[in-house]
Amino acid sequence: MDKRLAKIYKPKYVKFALNIWPPFWGAGIRIEEISDDFRSVKVRLKLRWWNKNANRSQFGGSIFSMTDPIYSLMLMGILREQYYVWDKEASIDFIKPGFSDLRAEFVISQDMLEDILKSTQTGEKCFPEFVSHIQNDKGEIVSTIQRKLYIRKKAQFRDVESESVNA
């Protein structure tokens, strides 16, 4: 994250920007809530006539898209400008058709955050994996999405003492 962006990277601005971002807006994806510490995000995918597939259920691409930048953006908000954070890979398991609005909640636990910080303090790459469950209006799981991220501390912020000890 750029230093200039870090100054304005706040949950309310991220929520606003994502909700007017054409790929989300056009797909019917809406960020409902971002916690003040970026540790929790709630997303909804509205069922619209333009995002239905041939079977009249939610289009799979929209389901996949509703999870796309979320964990990366959360970690950018938590780790700030000291880290590189990118999506690395993802997969989706369609369990049942989504015939209603769909919802997902994304959470980054303290344990996960501590693991990331510990494994990246001297500049090592970290590839944490996150699983999201997309639910319909009845609370049934419609799909499960696995995402792997790439996280690395930028060189100027690495723990130099630990790095020289490990060399």
Side-chain angles (χ1 to χ4, degrees):
M1 176 187 309
D2 182 270
K3 284 184 182 182
R4 294 171 299 208
L5 179 59
K7 291 179 182 178
I8 62 166
Y9 201 84
K10 308 240 184 291
K12 68 179 181 178
Y13 299 132
V14 172
K15 177 182 173 184
F16 175 78
L18 287 173
N19 284 335
I20 64 167
W21 188 40
F24 268 23
W25 179 80
I29 299 166
R30 181 151 185 85
I31 305 297
E32 294 187 319
E33 182 181 316
I34 300 177
S35 66
D36 289 338
D37 60 0
F38 283 100
R39 297 283 195 91
S40 173
V41 174
K42 293 180 181 178
V43 179
R44 181 182 58 169
L45 172 61
K46 292 185 70 86
L47 182 63
R48 306 277 191 170
W49 66 267
W50 63 82
N51 65 3
K52 290 181 182 180
N53 62 24
N55 296 310
R56 312 291 296 152
S57 64
Q58 290 277 14
F59 173 61
S62 296
I63 296 171
F64 197 61
S65 293
M66 76 185 282
T67 70
D68 187 12
I70 305 300
Y71 279 115
S72 292
L73 294 174
M74 291 169 74
L75 283 163
M76 287 171 65
I78 295 167
L79 301 173
R80 311 304 291 172
E81 68 274 4
Q82 295 186 15
Y83 287 81
Y84 296 110
V85 181
W86 293 301
D87 274 319
K88 181 169 174 38
E89 66 183 59
S91 64
I92 188 167
D93 180 17
F94 295 105
I95 298 168
K96 65 189 311 179
F99 289 111
S100 67
D101 288 2
L102 302 179
R103 289 182 167 68
E105 184 170 357
F106 306 85
V107 176
I108 297 177
S109 69
Q110 184 63 32
D111 288 342
M112 178 64 80
L113 185 56
E114 287 173 7
D115 288 346
I116 291 168
L117 293 171
K118 183 178 178 184
S119 64
T120 59
Q121 68 186 3
T122 59
E124 291 84 7
K125 298 171 189 173
C126 179
F127 303 102
E129 294 189 27
F130 299 91
V131 175
S132 306
H133 301 288
I134 311 303
Q135 298 179 330
N136 62 18
D137 281 346
K138 296 177 185 174
E140 302 166 326
I141 295 175
V142 171
S143 64
T144 300
I145 299 172
Q146 174 274 329
R147 290 202 167 272
K148 182 185 285 190
L149 273 58
Y150 167 101
I151 302 173
R152 189 171 192 188
K153 197 168 196 177
K154 293 179 182 177
Q156 66 267 34
F157 298 107
R158 293 179 189 158
D159 185 351
V160 179
E161 286 181 31
S162 296
E163 195 171 356
S164 61
V165 170
N166 293 333

